[in-house]
Amino acid sequence: MPEPLEHIGGLVCLDFANTVGPRRARADKDPHDYLTDFSSLVEWSVNAGTIGANRAGLLRKRVQRDPRAAQDALARAKRLRETVYAVFAAIAKGDEPPGRALHHLQQAYADAMRQAKLVSTPAGLDWSWSPQGELDCVLWPIARSAAEVAVSADFGRIKECLGHDGSCGWLFYDTSKNGLRRWCSMSACGTWEKSSKRAATARKG
């Protein structure tokens, strides 16, 4: 798994699903959760480009004033994360997404768009969310991304990394020309797979 966390999913919602891993860790090894507290979620959102520095500053102040609310918001974020993973991991396998996960995603998207308004940007019109200091605002761009991907993406390009002997499980959108990308990241699982093959060849030799 990449350390520190890389945004390798190609889509905001998939990157968010990848904030815990490996997804298919052995029973004797717990996956690492990159969202240790609400502040780490704010930091992830800034790095992902889903919120700006001003909103991040407001959220950090809110966390200091109301840590219990921040803890509850983090729990909702992790529920959304697992919902996104359940939907797109199923799609990556060619399976039907779980009905409960689809229902929760629909609710999260509806909640997000109730807060949305169209605004002018240098690139044209885009969605913006208010109020600025609402803790759940970090979830709204993720819910929007997941719902839009679910109804418009080429499902054949949504894949699950099987690196590290199948334990990785991170999701990514394959934008390669031939659609044959296998790993979440060449710098992580790709390198590991190639090193393993070289070691196996050397042992046989």
Side-chain angles (χ1 to χ4, degrees), residues 68-104:
R68 177 61 183 272
Q71 185 177 4
D72 292 343
L74 179 64
R76 291 191 292 274
K78 291 187 177 184
R79 184 186 177 197
L80 177 60
R81 178 179 67 185
E82 296 313 302
T83 293
V84 171
Y85 178 76
V87 169
F88 291 107
I91 289 172
K93 297 182 183 71
D95 296 336
E96 189 77 18
R100 181 176 296 181
L102 288 177
H103 178 69
H104 182 228

PDB file of all heavy atoms in Angstrom, residues 68-104:
ATOM      1  N   ARG A  68     -17.313  16.454  20.221  1.00  0.00           N
ATOM      2  CA  ARG A  68     -18.291  15.370  20.136  1.00  0.00           C
ATOM      3  C   ARG A  68     -19.005  15.378  18.781  1.00  0.00           C
ATOM      4  O   ARG A  68     -19.198  14.329  18.164  1.00  0.00           O
ATOM      5  CB  ARG A  68     -19.311  15.499  21.269  1.00  0.00           C
ATOM      6  CG  ARG A  68     -20.420  14.442  21.224  1.00  0.00           C
ATOM      7  CD  ARG A  68     -19.855  13.031  21.338  1.00  0.00           C
ATOM      8  NE  ARG A  68     -20.881  12.021  21.237  1.00  0.00           N
ATOM      9  CZ  ARG A  68     -21.575  11.562  22.284  1.00  0.00           C
ATOM     10  NH1 ARG A  68     -21.339  12.045  23.503  1.00  0.00           N
ATOM     11  NH2 ARG A  68     -22.489  10.633  22.130  1.00  0.00           N
ATOM     12  N   ALA A  69     -19.369  16.572  18.305  1.00  0.00           N
ATOM     13  CA  ALA A  69     -20.003  16.671  16.988  1.00  0.00           C
ATOM     14  C   ALA A  69     -19.045  16.206  15.898  1.00  0.00           C
ATOM     15  O   ALA A  69     -19.453  15.554  14.925  1.00  0.00           O
ATOM     16  CB  ALA A  69     -20.451  18.105  16.727  1.00  0.00           C
ATOM     17  N   ALA A  70     -17.760  16.528  16.054  1.00  0.00           N
ATOM     18  CA  ALA A  70     -16.762  16.099  15.074  1.00  0.00           C
ATOM     19  C   ALA A  70     -16.638  14.575  15.061  1.00  0.00           C
ATOM     20  O   ALA A  70     -16.496  13.960  13.998  1.00  0.00           O
ATOM     21  CB  ALA A  70     -15.417  16.737  15.385  1.00  0.00           C
ATOM     22  N   GLN A  71     -16.703  13.977  16.241  1.00  0.00           N
ATOM     23  CA  GLN A  71     -16.617  12.516  16.320  1.00  0.00           C
ATOM     24  C   GLN A  71     -17.817  11.871  15.628  1.00  0.00           C
ATOM     25  O   GLN A  71     -17.677  10.873  14.907  1.00  0.00           O
ATOM     26  CB  GLN A  71     -16.563  12.088  17.785  1.00  0.00           C
ATOM     27  CG  GLN A  71     -16.347  10.604  18.001  1.00  0.00           C
ATOM     28  CD  GLN A  71     -16.225  10.256  19.475  1.00  0.00           C
ATOM     29  OE1 GLN A  71     -16.374  11.106  20.351  1.00  0.00           O
ATOM     30  NE2 GLN A  71     -15.953   8.993  19.748  1.00  0.00           N
ATOM     31  N   ASP A  72     -19.004  12.440  15.830  1.00  0.00           N
ATOM     32  CA  ASP A  72     -20.207  11.911  15.176  1.00  0.00           C
ATOM     33  C   ASP A  72     -20.126  12.073  13.659  1.00  0.00           C
ATOM     34  O   ASP A  72     -20.527  11.182  12.899  1.00  0.00           O
ATOM     35  CB  ASP A  72     -21.448  12.616  15.716  1.00  0.00           C
ATOM     36  CG  ASP A  72     -21.743  12.275  17.169  1.00  0.00           C
ATOM     37  OD1 ASP A  72     -21.202  11.265  17.663  1.00  0.00           O
ATOM     38  OD2 ASP A  72     -22.501  13.028  17.806  1.00  0.00           O
ATOM     39  N   ALA A  73     -19.600  13.220  13.218  1.00  0.00           N
ATOM     40  CA  ALA A  73     -19.461  13.462  11.778  1.00  0.00           C
ATOM     41  C   ALA A  73     -18.470  12.493  11.155  1.00  0.00           C
ATOM     42  O   ALA A  73     -18.663  12.022  10.027  1.00  0.00           O
ATOM     43  CB  ALA A  73     -19.034  14.904  11.527  1.00  0.00           C
ATOM     44  N   LEU A  74     -17.407  12.178  11.888  1.00  0.00           N
ATOM     45  CA  LEU A  74     -16.432  11.210  11.385  1.00  0.00           C
ATOM     46  C   LEU A  74     -17.081   9.837  11.226  1.00  0.00           C
ATOM     47  O   LEU A  74     -16.812   9.121  10.253  1.00  0.00           O
ATOM     48  CB  LEU A  74     -15.244  11.121  12.337  1.00  0.00           C
ATOM     49  CG  LEU A  74     -14.148  10.126  11.942  1.00  0.00           C
ATOM     50  CD1 LEU A  74     -13.484  10.543  10.627  1.00  0.00           C
ATOM     51  CD2 LEU A  74     -13.101  10.013  13.051  1.00  0.00           C
ATOM     52  N   ALA A  75     -17.937   9.475  12.169  1.00  0.00           N
ATOM     53  CA  ALA A  75     -18.638   8.184  12.072  1.00  0.00           C
ATOM     54  C   ALA A  75     -19.523   8.155  10.828  1.00  0.00           C
ATOM     55  O   ALA A  75     -19.592   7.134  10.123  1.00  0.00           O
ATOM     56  CB  ALA A  75     -19.469   7.946  13.326  1.00  0.00           C
ATOM     57  N   ARG A  76     -20.194   9.269  10.517  1.00  0.00           N
ATOM     58  CA  ARG A  76     -21.018   9.323   9.306  1.00  0.00           C
ATOM     59  C   ARG A  76     -20.144   9.241   8.051  1.00  0.00           C
ATOM     60  O   ARG A  76     -20.525   8.611   7.057  1.00  0.00           O
ATOM     61  CB  ARG A  76     -21.849  10.608   9.288  1.00  0.00           C
ATOM     62  CG  ARG A  76     -22.934  10.636  10.354  1.00  0.00           C
ATOM     63  CD  ARG A  76     -23.897  11.793  10.145  1.00  0.00           C
ATOM     64  NE  ARG A  76     -23.286  13.100  10.369  1.00  0.00           N
ATOM     65  CZ  ARG A  76     -23.188  13.693  11.555  1.00  0.00           C
ATOM     66  NH1 ARG A  76     -23.650  13.085  12.646  1.00  0.00           N
ATOM     67  NH2 ARG A  76     -22.649  14.895  11.679  1.00  0.00           N
ATOM     68  N   ALA A  77     -18.972   9.858   8.125  1.00  0.00           N
ATOM     69  CA  ALA A  77     -18.051   9.803   6.987  1.00  0.00           C
ATOM     70  C   ALA A  77     -17.610   8.367   6.719  1.00  0.00           C
ATOM     71  O   ALA A  77     -17.547   7.919   5.573  1.00  0.00           O
ATOM     72  CB  ALA A  77     -16.843  10.694   7.244  1.00  0.00           C
ATOM     73  N   LYS A  78     -17.315   7.643   7.779  1.00  0.00           N
ATOM     74  CA  LYS A  78     -16.858   6.260   7.602  1.00  0.00           C
ATOM     75  C   LYS A  78     -17.984   5.360   7.112  1.00  0.00           C
ATOM     76  O   LYS A  78     -17.741   4.411   6.351  1.00  0.00           O
ATOM     77  CB  LYS A  78     -16.261   5.747   8.910  1.00  0.00           C
ATOM     78  CG  LYS A  78     -14.940   6.428   9.256  1.00  0.00           C
ATOM     79  CD  LYS A  78     -14.263   5.806  10.459  1.00  0.00           C
ATOM     80  CE  LYS A  78     -12.914   6.460  10.725  1.00  0.00           C
ATOM     81  NZ  LYS A  78     -12.172   5.819  11.830  1.00  0.00           N
ATOM     82  N   ARG A  79     -19.203   5.677   7.513  1.00  0.00           N
ATOM     83  CA  ARG A  79     -20.326   4.903   6.988  1.00  0.00           C
ATOM     84  C   ARG A  79     -20.474   5.149   5.490  1.00  0.00           C
ATOM     85  O   ARG A  79     -20.697   4.212   4.714  1.00  0.00           O
ATOM     86  CB  ARG A  79     -21.618   5.269   7.705  1.00  0.00           C
ATOM     87  CG  ARG A  79     -22.796   4.407   7.239  1.00  0.00           C
ATOM     88  CD  ARG A  79     -24.111   4.844   7.821  1.00  0.00           C
ATOM     89  NE  ARG A  79     -25.190   4.033   7.275  1.00  0.00           N
ATOM     90  CZ  ARG A  79     -26.478   4.360   7.321  1.00  0.00           C
ATOM     91  NH1 ARG A  79     -26.845   5.472   7.932  1.00  0.00           N
ATOM     92  NH2 ARG A  79     -27.398   3.582   6.787  1.00  0.00           N
ATOM     93  N   LEU A  80     -20.338   6.420   5.083  1.00  0.00           N
ATOM     94  CA  LEU A  80     -20.400   6.724   3.653  1.00  0.00           C
ATOM     95  C   LEU A  80     -19.253   6.043   2.914  1.00  0.00           C
ATOM     96  O   LEU A  80     -19.442   5.510   1.817  1.00  0.00           O
ATOM     97  CB  LEU A  80     -20.354   8.232   3.430  1.00  0.00           C
ATOM     98  CG  LEU A  80     -20.341   8.689   1.968  1.00  0.00           C
ATOM     99  CD1 LEU A  80     -21.586   8.212   1.235  1.00  0.00           C
ATOM    100  CD2 LEU A  80     -20.214  10.211   1.881  1.00  0.00           C
ATOM    101  N   ARG A  81     -18.084   6.030   3.510  1.00  0.00           N
ATOM    102  CA  ARG A  81     -16.925   5.380   2.882  1.00  0.00           C
ATOM    103  C   ARG A  81     -17.214   3.901   2.619  1.00  0.00           C
ATOM    104  O   ARG A  81     -16.933   3.396   1.528  1.00  0.00           O
ATOM    105  CB  ARG A  81     -15.700   5.517   3.776  1.00  0.00           C
ATOM    106  CG  ARG A  81     -14.456   4.832   3.218  1.00  0.00           C
ATOM    107  CD  ARG A  81     -13.257   5.017   4.131  1.00  0.00           C
ATOM    108  NE  ARG A  81     -13.420   4.320   5.405  1.00  0.00           N
ATOM    109  CZ  ARG A  81     -12.559   4.404   6.420  1.00  0.00           C
ATOM    110  NH1 ARG A  81     -11.490   5.173   6.318  1.00  0.00           N
ATOM    111  NH2 ARG A  81     -12.767   3.736   7.536  1.00  0.00           N
ATOM    112  N   GLU A  82     -17.766   3.214   3.612  1.00  0.00           N
ATOM    113  CA  GLU A  82     -18.043   1.794   3.436  1.00  0.00           C
ATOM    114  C   GLU A  82     -19.169   1.565   2.443  1.00  0.00           C
ATOM    115  O   GLU A  82     -19.193   0.552   1.739  1.00  0.00           O
ATOM    116  CB  GLU A  82     -18.363   1.154   4.786  1.00  0.00           C
ATOM    117  CG  GLU A  82     -17.179   1.190   5.753  1.00  0.00           C
ATOM    118  CD  GLU A  82     -15.882   0.745   5.089  1.00  0.00           C
ATOM    119  OE1 GLU A  82     -15.819  -0.388   4.581  1.00  0.00           O
ATOM    120  OE2 GLU A  82     -14.920   1.550   5.068  1.00  0.00           O
ATOM    121  N   THR A  83     -20.098   2.508   2.373  1.00  0.00           N
ATOM    122  CA  THR A  83     -21.156   2.434   1.367  1.00  0.00           C
ATOM    123  C   THR A  83     -20.571   2.538  -0.031  1.00  0.00           C
ATOM    124  O   THR A  83     -20.898   1.742  -0.922  1.00  0.00           O
ATOM    125  CB  THR A  83     -22.180   3.565   1.592  1.00  0.00           C
ATOM    126  OG1 THR A  83     -22.865   3.345   2.823  1.00  0.00           O
ATOM    127  CG2 THR A  83     -23.182   3.635   0.451  1.00  0.00           C
ATOM    128  N   VAL A  84     -19.703   3.519  -0.221  1.00  0.00           N
ATOM    129  CA  VAL A  84     -19.062   3.708  -1.527  1.00  0.00           C
ATOM    130  C   VAL A  84     -18.258   2.471  -1.903  1.00  0.00           C
ATOM    131  O   VAL A  84     -18.324   1.996  -3.052  1.00  0.00           O
ATOM    132  CB  VAL A  84     -18.167   4.967  -1.507  1.00  0.00           C
ATOM    133  CG1 VAL A  84     -17.327   5.052  -2.779  1.00  0.00           C
ATOM    134  CG2 VAL A  84     -19.016   6.215  -1.342  1.00  0.00           C
ATOM    135  N   TYR A  85     -17.518   1.942  -0.939  1.00  0.00           N
ATOM    136  CA  TYR A  85     -16.726   0.751  -1.243  1.00  0.00           C
ATOM    137  C   TYR A  85     -17.625  -0.428  -1.614  1.00  0.00           C
ATOM    138  O   TYR A  85     -17.348  -1.157  -2.583  1.00  0.00           O
ATOM    139  CB  TYR A  85     -15.847   0.371  -0.050  1.00  0.00           C
ATOM    140  CG  TYR A  85     -15.044  -0.882  -0.316  1.00  0.00           C
ATOM    141  CD1 TYR A  85     -13.926  -0.838  -1.133  1.00  0.00           C
ATOM    142  CD2 TYR A  85     -15.430  -2.109   0.210  1.00  0.00           C
ATOM    143  CE1 TYR A  85     -13.198  -1.984  -1.422  1.00  0.00           C
ATOM    144  CE2 TYR A  85     -14.711  -3.259  -0.067  1.00  0.00           C
ATOM    145  CZ  TYR A  85     -13.602  -3.194  -0.887  1.00  0.00           C
ATOM    146  OH  TYR A  85     -12.903  -4.339  -1.173  1.00  0.00           O
ATOM    147  N   ALA A  86     -18.701  -0.636  -0.864  1.00  0.00           N
ATOM    148  CA  ALA A  86     -19.594  -1.763  -1.139  1.00  0.00           C
ATOM    149  C   ALA A  86     -20.186  -1.671  -2.545  1.00  0.00           C
ATOM    150  O   ALA A  86     -20.277  -2.680  -3.269  1.00  0.00           O
ATOM    151  CB  ALA A  86     -20.712  -1.815  -0.096  1.00  0.00           C
ATOM    152  N   VAL A  87     -20.571  -0.465  -2.951  1.00  0.00           N
ATOM    153  CA  VAL A  87     -21.171  -0.286  -4.274  1.00  0.00           C
ATOM    154  C   VAL A  87     -20.158  -0.560  -5.375  1.00  0.00           C
ATOM    155  O   VAL A  87     -20.414  -1.357  -6.292  1.00  0.00           O
ATOM    156  CB  VAL A  87     -21.732   1.151  -4.416  1.00  0.00           C
ATOM    157  CG1 VAL A  87     -22.122   1.439  -5.869  1.00  0.00           C
ATOM    158  CG2 VAL A  87     -22.942   1.340  -3.511  1.00  0.00           C
ATOM    159  N   PHE A  88     -18.979   0.051  -5.274  1.00  0.00           N
ATOM    160  CA  PHE A  88     -18.049  -0.022  -6.398  1.00  0.00           C
ATOM    161  C   PHE A  88     -17.173  -1.273  -6.371  1.00  0.00           C
ATOM    162  O   PHE A  88     -16.704  -1.710  -7.429  1.00  0.00           O
ATOM    163  CB  PHE A  88     -17.218   1.254  -6.459  1.00  0.00           C
ATOM    164  CG  PHE A  88     -18.048   2.447  -6.850  1.00  0.00           C
ATOM    165  CD1 PHE A  88     -18.391   3.416  -5.919  1.00  0.00           C
ATOM    166  CD2 PHE A  88     -18.533   2.565  -8.143  1.00  0.00           C
ATOM    167  CE1 PHE A  88     -19.184   4.496  -6.272  1.00  0.00           C
ATOM    168  CE2 PHE A  88     -19.324   3.636  -8.509  1.00  0.00           C
ATOM    169  CZ  PHE A  88     -19.652   4.608  -7.576  1.00  0.00           C
ATOM    170  N   ALA A  89     -16.979  -1.875  -5.223  1.00  0.00           N
ATOM    171  CA  ALA A  89     -16.295  -3.172  -5.206  1.00  0.00           C
ATOM    172  C   ALA A  89     -17.170  -4.224  -5.885  1.00  0.00           C
ATOM    173  O   ALA A  89     -16.671  -5.094  -6.607  1.00  0.00           O
ATOM    174  CB  ALA A  89     -15.977  -3.589  -3.773  1.00  0.00           C
ATOM    175  N   ALA A  90     -18.476  -4.136  -5.658  1.00  0.00           N
ATOM    176  CA  ALA A  90     -19.393  -5.063  -6.334  1.00  0.00           C
ATOM    177  C   ALA A  90     -19.357  -4.829  -7.842  1.00  0.00           C
ATOM    178  O   ALA A  90     -19.299  -5.789  -8.629  1.00  0.00           O
ATOM    179  CB  ALA A  90     -20.812  -4.876  -5.794  1.00  0.00           C
ATOM    180  N   ILE A  91     -19.389  -3.568  -8.254  1.00  0.00           N
ATOM    181  CA  ILE A  91     -19.336  -3.259  -9.682  1.00  0.00           C
ATOM    182  C   ILE A  91     -18.033  -3.767 -10.298  1.00  0.00           C
ATOM    183  O   ILE A  91     -18.022  -4.314 -11.410  1.00  0.00           O
ATOM    184  CB  ILE A  91     -19.483  -1.741  -9.893  1.00  0.00           C
ATOM    185  CG1 ILE A  91     -20.920  -1.306  -9.574  1.00  0.00           C
ATOM    186  CG2 ILE A  91     -19.104  -1.340 -11.318  1.00  0.00           C
ATOM    187  CD1 ILE A  91     -21.132   0.189  -9.553  1.00  0.00           C
ATOM    188  N   ALA A  92     -16.917  -3.603  -9.573  1.00  0.00           N
ATOM    189  CA  ALA A  92     -15.624  -4.067 -10.082  1.00  0.00           C
ATOM    190  C   ALA A  92     -15.617  -5.574 -10.320  1.00  0.00           C
ATOM    191  O   ALA A  92     -14.919  -6.062 -11.214  1.00  0.00           O
ATOM    192  CB  ALA A  92     -14.514  -3.686  -9.106  1.00  0.00           C
ATOM    193  N   LYS A  93     -16.389  -6.294  -9.522  1.00  0.00           N
ATOM    194  CA  LYS A  93     -16.468  -7.756  -9.671  1.00  0.00           C
ATOM    195  C   LYS A  93     -17.534  -8.181 -10.676  1.00  0.00           C
ATOM    196  O   LYS A  93     -17.671  -9.375 -10.969  1.00  0.00           O
ATOM    197  CB  LYS A  93     -16.777  -8.398  -8.319  1.00  0.00           C
ATOM    198  CG  LYS A  93     -15.721  -8.197  -7.257  1.00  0.00           C
ATOM    199  CD  LYS A  93     -16.138  -8.922  -5.969  1.00  0.00           C
ATOM    200  CE  LYS A  93     -15.137  -8.688  -4.855  1.00  0.00           C
ATOM    201  NZ  LYS A  93     -15.202  -7.294  -4.355  1.00  0.00           N
ATOM    202  N   GLY A  94     -18.304  -7.227 -11.175  1.00  0.00           N
ATOM    203  CA  GLY A  94     -19.389  -7.567 -12.087  1.00  0.00           C
ATOM    204  C   GLY A  94     -20.637  -8.022 -11.365  1.00  0.00           C
ATOM    205  O   GLY A  94     -21.515  -8.638 -11.979  1.00  0.00           O
ATOM    206  N   ASP A  95     -20.729  -7.714 -10.067  1.00  0.00           N
ATOM    207  CA  ASP A  95     -21.881  -8.114  -9.272  1.00  0.00           C
ATOM    208  C   ASP A  95     -22.870  -6.971  -9.117  1.00  0.00           C
ATOM    209  O   ASP A  95     -22.551  -5.804  -9.380  1.00  0.00           O
ATOM    210  CB  ASP A  95     -21.440  -8.577  -7.871  1.00  0.00           C
ATOM    211  CG  ASP A  95     -20.568  -9.815  -7.907  1.00  0.00           C
ATOM    212  OD1 ASP A  95     -20.656 -10.570  -8.900  1.00  0.00           O
ATOM    213  OD2 ASP A  95     -19.779 -10.012  -6.964  1.00  0.00           O
ATOM    214  N   GLU A  96     -24.062  -7.302  -8.652  1.00  0.00           N
ATOM    215  CA  GLU A  96     -25.073  -6.304  -8.348  1.00  0.00           C
ATOM    216  C   GLU A  96     -24.724  -5.621  -7.031  1.00  0.00           C
ATOM    217  O   GLU A  96     -24.492  -6.287  -6.024  1.00  0.00           O
ATOM    218  CB  GLU A  96     -26.445  -6.972  -8.224  1.00  0.00           C
ATOM    219  CG  GLU A  96     -27.611  -6.021  -8.124  1.00  0.00           C
ATOM    220  CD  GLU A  96     -28.005  -5.415  -9.450  1.00  0.00           C
ATOM    221  OE1 GLU A  96     -27.618  -5.964 -10.501  1.00  0.00           O
ATOM    222  OE2 GLU A  96     -28.723  -4.402  -9.424  1.00  0.00           O
ATOM    223  N   PRO A  97     -24.670  -4.288  -6.989  1.00  0.00           N
ATOM    224  CA  PRO A  97     -24.385  -3.609  -5.719  1.00  0.00           C
ATOM    225  C   PRO A  97     -25.455  -3.909  -4.678  1.00  0.00           C
ATOM    226  O   PRO A  97     -26.632  -4.058  -5.017  1.00  0.00           O
ATOM    227  CB  PRO A  97     -24.390  -2.121  -6.098  1.00  0.00           C
ATOM    228  CG  PRO A  97     -24.107  -2.100  -7.567  1.00  0.00           C
ATOM    229  CD  PRO A  97     -24.758  -3.338  -8.106  1.00  0.00           C
ATOM    230  N   PRO A  98     -25.071  -4.020  -3.419  1.00  0.00           N
ATOM    231  CA  PRO A  98     -26.053  -4.313  -2.366  1.00  0.00           C
ATOM    232  C   PRO A  98     -27.126  -3.234  -2.296  1.00  0.00           C
ATOM    233  O   PRO A  98     -26.843  -2.037  -2.363  1.00  0.00           O
ATOM    234  CB  PRO A  98     -25.202  -4.306  -1.085  1.00  0.00           C
ATOM    235  CG  PRO A  98     -23.799  -4.529  -1.544  1.00  0.00           C
ATOM    236  CD  PRO A  98     -23.701  -3.899  -2.894  1.00  0.00           C
ATOM    237  N   GLY A  99     -28.376  -3.671  -2.144  1.00  0.00           N
ATOM    238  CA  GLY A  99     -29.489  -2.737  -2.100  1.00  0.00           C
ATOM    239  C   GLY A  99     -29.392  -1.751  -0.956  1.00  0.00           C
ATOM    240  O   GLY A  99     -29.717  -0.565  -1.112  1.00  0.00           O
ATOM    241  N   ARG A 100     -28.935  -2.209   0.205  1.00  0.00           N
ATOM    242  CA  ARG A 100     -28.822  -1.314   1.355  1.00  0.00           C
ATOM    243  C   ARG A 100     -27.803  -0.215   1.093  1.00  0.00           C
ATOM    244  O   ARG A 100     -28.015   0.942   1.458  1.00  0.00           O
ATOM    245  CB  ARG A 100     -28.426  -2.114   2.599  1.00  0.00           C
ATOM    246  CG  ARG A 100     -28.305  -1.264   3.862  1.00  0.00           C
ATOM    247  CD  ARG A 100     -28.016  -2.116   5.074  1.00  0.00           C
ATOM    248  NE  ARG A 100     -29.108  -3.025   5.378  1.00  0.00           N
ATOM    249  CZ  ARG A 100     -29.114  -3.872   6.399  1.00  0.00           C
ATOM    250  NH1 ARG A 100     -28.069  -3.930   7.217  1.00  0.00           N
ATOM    251  NH2 ARG A 100     -30.156  -4.656   6.606  1.00  0.00           N
ATOM    252  N   ALA A 101     -26.700  -0.588   0.445  1.00  0.00           N
ATOM    253  CA  ALA A 101     -25.673   0.409   0.135  1.00  0.00           C
ATOM    254  C   ALA A 101     -26.195   1.426  -0.877  1.00  0.00           C
ATOM    255  O   ALA A 101     -25.941   2.634  -0.746  1.00  0.00           O
ATOM    256  CB  ALA A 101     -24.417  -0.276  -0.396  1.00  0.00           C
ATOM    257  N   LEU A 102     -26.921   0.974  -1.875  1.00  0.00           N
ATOM    258  CA  LEU A 102     -27.489   1.893  -2.859  1.00  0.00           C
ATOM    259  C   LEU A 102     -28.469   2.858  -2.204  1.00  0.00           C
ATOM    260  O   LEU A 102     -28.510   4.050  -2.537  1.00  0.00           O
ATOM    261  CB  LEU A 102     -28.180   1.109  -3.970  1.00  0.00           C
ATOM    262  CG  LEU A 102     -27.269   0.360  -4.945  1.00  0.00           C
ATOM    263  CD1 LEU A 102     -28.112  -0.432  -5.935  1.00  0.00           C
ATOM    264  CD2 LEU A 102     -26.344   1.316  -5.693  1.00  0.00           C
ATOM    265  N   HIS A 103     -29.261   2.345  -1.273  1.00  0.00           N
ATOM    266  CA  HIS A 103     -30.234   3.197  -0.581  1.00  0.00           C
ATOM    267  C   HIS A 103     -29.520   4.278   0.232  1.00  0.00           C
ATOM    268  O   HIS A 103     -29.920   5.455   0.202  1.00  0.00           O
ATOM    269  CB  HIS A 103     -31.119   2.346   0.333  1.00  0.00           C
ATOM    270  CG  HIS A 103     -32.112   3.145   1.119  1.00  0.00           C
ATOM    271  ND1 HIS A 103     -33.180   3.785   0.526  1.00  0.00           N
ATOM    272  CD2 HIS A 103     -32.195   3.428   2.456  1.00  0.00           C
ATOM    273  CE1 HIS A 103     -33.885   4.422   1.452  1.00  0.00           C
ATOM    274  NE2 HIS A 103     -33.307   4.225   2.617  1.00  0.00           N
ATOM    275  N   HIS A 104     -28.460   3.890   0.932  1.00  0.00           N
ATOM    276  CA  HIS A 104     -27.728   4.874   1.726  1.00  0.00           C
ATOM    277  C   HIS A 104     -27.042   5.898   0.831  1.00  0.00           C
ATOM    278  O   HIS A 104     -27.015   7.095   1.156  1.00  0.00           O
ATOM    279  CB  HIS A 104     -26.698   4.178   2.614  1.00  0.00           C
ATOM    280  CG  HIS A 104     -25.945   5.136   3.488  1.00  0.00           C
ATOM    281  ND1 HIS A 104     -24.576   5.115   3.607  1.00  0.00           N
ATOM    282  CD2 HIS A 104     -26.355   6.177   4.261  1.00  0.00           C
ATOM    283  CE1 HIS A 104     -24.181   6.077   4.422  1.00  0.00           C
ATOM    284  NE2 HIS A 104     -25.238   6.746   4.828  1.00  0.00           N
TER     285      HIS A 104
END
